[in-house]
Amino acid sequence: MAASISGYTFSSVCYHSANSNSDHEGFLLGEVRQEETLSISDSHIGSSEFLSVIEVHNHEPCAQLFSFYDYAGNVNEENLNRILKDRRKNVIGWYRFRRNTQQQMSFREQVIHKQLTNILGIPDLVFLLFSFISTANSSTHALEYVLFRPNRKYNQKISLSIPNLGNTSQQEYKVSSVPNTSKNYASVIKEHGTDFFDKDGVMKDIRAIFQVYSALQERVQAVCGEVDQSERVREKIQEEVNKLKEEIALRKHNSAEEERRLQEATAVTLPDNSALPDNSALPDSSHSSLTRVVLSGPSVEPSLERAENSSSPPIYSTTLPPDSPSAILLPRPQAVGSPGHPSPSVGLGNGDGSSSDSLNRQATGQEDEDNSDEDSSEYENLVSEQLQPPSLSEAVTLGRPATVWPDGDAHSPPGS
Amino acid sequence: MNSLSPEAALSRISPELRPLLCTVVRNGRVGLDSSGCLRITDLKTGCTSLMPGPCCDRFKLHIPYAGETLKWDIIFNASDPELPPDFIFGEDADFLPEPSELPHLVSWDAGKPECLLQLVKELLQQYHQYQCQRLRDSSRLLFEYDSLLDDPNYGRSMEIYAGRKNTWTGEFSARFLLKLPVDFSNIPIYLLKDTALDPGEDVALLSVSFEDAEATQVFPKLYLSPSIEHALGGSSALHIPAFPGGGCLIDYVPQVCQLLTNKVQYVIQGYHKRREYIAAFLSHFGMGVVEYDAVGFTKLTLLLMWKDFCFLVHVDLPLYFPRDQPTLTFQSIYHFTSSGQLYSQVQKSYPYSPRWDGNEMAKRAKAYFKSFIPQFQEGAFANGKL
């Protein structure tokens, strides 16, 4: 249980008390809140703690002693109501101030406390005891205050905190939740409030900022659209480029075939081994030039395609979801391979973890190499296709006498 | 600050509260142990420091109870002197008397000087009840208490202090303070008036401390008012038998009581016996008596003559006469010792029996003198100078 009292209430109580020439008592008004703290940690799912917080907002001093009780300590309810009037429901406790006495509840205070608990119907009524200790020569005075919960068996004393009584340069200045009941304050705010608040009670600055935010959002949306368009254009161009590349490759292949046949035809008459290595060399050189072309492609706009850098064309056929700009526009810092990464890999992969993982890995910047790998792998396929026909043709020529070995050495045919 | 005399304490109290405290400090005797009177310490004020003059209105009151001293804080308000005080009962935080059982609180009248004292007495009664309640923690001690309560001799004048229960070991201790119903009224006055301070009521208190709840460690102690103690022969009178292991108070206390009564009886009888003795000697020796103690009958001086030899006989009667034999001191009136004193000889053992009456003792003493004097005379001539 925690208790707090606002600084001005505390000083007001002290003022009333210190100025009285005898013991002083009064009532504490405020509220009791239940606070629930939910804590989540790795070791357990979550635990909630309930904390009762007592807040003292105000106080009602009694003008004299024995004003609501008699010599025997019997509380008179009429007098009590007369002192409290309509603030009775706000009572959370009472206080007493006595000079030069011990910090312990006295006999009469205990008797009164029990009765007040019953009459006011507050099970956890608190009692604040002030004692003012002075040294013999009045050189040093100490004001001590203790908050008691006498209705409990254990932990009867609780510490009373006064917010902002301390070094506020190091701590934050805390605003308390004490409701402001001052009429003067309310009237001033009403009069000057229109400078700061609009008709709905919302601060004007907030609206202005919100407008700026909305404008920024619109712009970003527009840019999204532009990006979308440019990406589509790029997609088309990429397709054309791919087609052209295929044609080139095909033509080259055809021309190579042609040449080889010609050479074979001439080679039957004139064995010449130097053509083949040139042939085998040819696809490599064309290869490397082709790979080089591919490399320059995807590096154009890496920032926007984190999630969509796989070179297979179908990605760009899906539309960007317009209502979730945050996934794209506000890059969230994510760890490598973190499961929370939003990977809008719609239509890509099998939907199992492996493909999206590979996608994620690509997302963090390895795209250039991957692209090149994939592209080069395509072309490797082409290379292997090209290599195969020579072996086929080799097999064909095996049956002839005076075969041409691939390594270019002339051998005498076996058996001759 | 702490050991102020009562008068000094009173002078610092606010004038309106002074009459109340006068009664407490000057005449205040509460409880059984009336030798320790109420003391006031730690006088403080509840007024601001601007208030002039004596204005102390809160203090600590020391109350002897069951061998302990209770320290209760009493809080008045000097600016409202007609209001009743508040109390803080020191370490007994659980003690909460019922206000309806404190008539002097309910109808507090600051105009009556004895009001505070009466209130303190009522509070003490409640405190006693509270302590008896605490005995319920130990069935053994509760049994002791109940058995004593039933006995009319002891039940009404008992103070119980049930000590702190040691929460570690669960040990419980208690002290019973009982007033022993011994009649001291017949003790000769002369024995009682020797004390310097006002003796008050003559009382014998038996304090029995139980150090544990099973009553295996029991320490009894007898307290007598100073005059009684003196009358019974000093601190030797305080020797009482040890508490029998496994015994209980209801058997032990009457035992102690009887012992004390016997002693008192003895002292009283001794007085009478001594009187009888002296009277007998007076009648036997008549003109030979020089002087005698006519109040306590403890001393007697005779001047006797035997064959023209005059000598003095001093008779000292002990407290426990006739159990103890009187001491005879023979003194020569002619001879001096080297230190300038009259030559004398002390005789402690001579034919004597406590069963003789005064007359018999006088006769026998006379016979003894006759037999002893020649010896003495010789001794006086031999050792003393004229």
Side-chain angles (χ1 to χ4, degrees), chain A residues 196-367:
Chain A
F196 300 95
F197 295 93
D198 64 9
K199 54 177 172 40
D200 295 331
V202 178
M203 281 197 80
K204 287 180 180 172
D205 294 340
I206 293 179
R207 273 203 203 278
I209 291 172
F210 196 75
Q211 279 166 6
V212 169
Y213 164 75
S214 309
L216 284 169
Q217 281 284 76
E218 275 171 43
R219 294 295 161 80
V220 165
Q221 291 277 24
V223 169
C224 272
E226 282 171 29
V227 166
D228 182 31
Q229 291 296 322
S230 72
E231 280 297 307
R232 287 183 200 283
V233 164
R234 178 190 169 282
E235 197 183 307
K236 281 200 187 89
I237 293 175
Q238 185 76 18
E239 269 180 39
E240 282 174 31
V241 164
N242 288 344
K243 270 193 205 128
L244 288 169
K245 280 185 187 163
E246 275 174 27
E247 264 181 53
I248 291 172
L250 197 59
R251 272 191 211 158
K252 279 208 174 144
H253 173 77
N254 290 342
S255 63
E257 275 283 328
E258 285 281 336
E259 262 195 50
R260 201 179 42 74
R261 275 199 214 107
L262 278 170
Q263 280 183 359
E264 270 179 21
T266 54
V268 168
T269 53
L270 297 163
D272 188 349
N273 299 331
S274 59
L276 276 173
D278 291 330
N279 272 342
S280 58
L282 195 57
D284 285 329
S285 59
S286 63
H287 241 312
S288 50
S289 64
L290 279 170
T291 53
R292 253 180 264 126
V293 167
V294 169
L295 270 169
S296 63
S299 60
V300 172
E301 297 168 76
S303 59
L304 286 176
E305 279 98 277
R306 290 262 177 126
E308 305 164 14
N309 53 7
S310 166
S311 57
S312 51
I315 289 180
Y316 297 109
S317 60
T318 62
T319 55
L320 295 169
D323 54 344
S324 59
S326 60
I328 297 170
L329 302 173
L330 296 171
R332 279 190 238 156
Q334 290 287 342
V336 176
S338 67
H341 182 83
S343 51
S345 53
V346 179
L348 179 71
N350 308 327
D352 59 355
S354 53
S355 59
S356 61
D357 275 344
S358 64
L359 207 61
N360 286 341
R361 257 177 263 122
Q362 290 161 11
T364 52
Q366 295 175 11
E367 55 186 278

